[in-house]
Structure formats: structure tokens, C-alpha cells
């Protein structure tokens, strides 16, 4: 879950964290992380969870919150897909193939 940590002292930051928690409750975050971890095993679940939390935070001030979980899912999926694709391309780079 998002930690209040260093921003606990400021009321606006605390409210933003609380709003994000309302938008994506912990069980919903955990379910999304588990699903994305299975689809993208290259990335650690803790890393995926941080991306989900950051993406959720983008919508802390949203007036309409009905679709926030869908938008978060799509945003994180796009990031993971792009990073996975970059990783695959880098592995095929001839410069990375060891000489025999």
C-alpha cells in the first residue's frame, strides 16, 4: 500500500494518499499485481506494485473515479509491455552475443 512516510507531515499529501487508497483498495491492487506478475514474469511483484501505486496516484484528483482501476491497469500493462519488448530487443542485439 502507499505509505504515508515522508509526506505524513503535510496534510495535502496525506489526503492524496488517502484518496489513492480509496480509488484502488489493497485487495484490488494485490489482485492486479498477481495477474500482471503472471503475465510479465520478468518483473518482480514489488516492482509491479510500485508501478500500480504510482499510476493510481496520477488519478488522486480525478473527479470521476469509476474507471480509475481500468485506466491504472492499462497504463501499467502498457509500461510492462514496452519494457518487456525493449528487453527482448536488447537480448537480440548482435553486440551482446558473446564471441566464440
Amino acid at each position: 500500500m502507499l505509505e504515508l512516510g515522508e509526506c505524513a507531515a503535510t496534510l495535502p499529501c496525506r489526503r492524496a494518499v488517502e484518496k489513492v487508497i480509496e480509488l484502488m483498495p489493497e485487495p484490488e491492487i494485490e489482485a492486479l499485481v498477481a495477474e500482471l506478475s503472471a503475465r510479465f514474469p520478468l518483473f518482480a511483484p514489488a516492482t509491479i506494485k510500485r508501478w500500480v501505486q504510482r499510476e493510481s496516484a496520477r488519478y488522486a484528483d480525478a473527479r470521476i473515479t469509476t474507471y480509475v482501476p481500468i485506466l491504472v491497469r492499462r497504463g501499467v500493462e502498457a509500461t510492462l509491455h514496452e519494457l518487456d519488448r525493449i528487453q527482448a530487443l536488447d537480448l537480440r542485439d548482435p553486440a551482446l552475443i558473446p564471441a566464440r
Side-chain angles (χ1 to χ4, degrees), residues 22-63:
E22 290 173 19
L23 294 174
M24 297 259 325
E26 187 67 24
E28 194 169 349
I29 289 174
E30 292 300 328
L32 179 57
V33 169
E35 180 185 330
L36 293 175
S37 294
R39 286 184 53 205
F40 298 95
L42 178 66
F43 304 100
T47 301
I48 294 173
K49 185 173 183 175
R50 278 194 308 273
W51 282 327
V52 169
Q53 291 169 337
R54 287 182 186 149
E55 190 70 19
S56 298
R58 292 182 55 210
Y59 300 100
D61 294 328
R63 292 183 191 166

Side-chain angles (χ1 to χ4, degrees), residues 4 9 11 15 17 22 45-46 52-53 60 63 71 74 81-82 98:
L4 291 176
L11 190 56
R15 286 187 181 144
V17 170
E22 290 173 19
V52 169
Q53 291 169 337
R63 292 183 191 166
L71 296 171
R74 287 182 181 173
H81 181 70
E82 184 64 23

Side-chain angles (χ1 to χ4, degrees), residues 51-97:
W51 282 327
V52 169
Q53 291 169 337
R54 287 182 186 149
E55 190 70 19
S56 298
R58 292 182 55 210
Y59 300 100
D61 294 328
R63 292 183 191 166
I64 299 171
T65 59
T66 305
Y67 302 105
V68 167
I70 295 168
L71 296 171
V72 168
R73 172 187 298 274
R74 287 182 181 173
V76 175
E77 281 177 340
T79 299
L80 293 173
H81 181 70
E82 184 64 23
L83 291 172
D84 194 40
R85 188 178 67 77
I86 290 169
Q87 179 70 20
L89 290 175
D90 287 347
L91 292 176
R92 293 187 197 127
D93 186 350
L96 298 176
I97 299 173

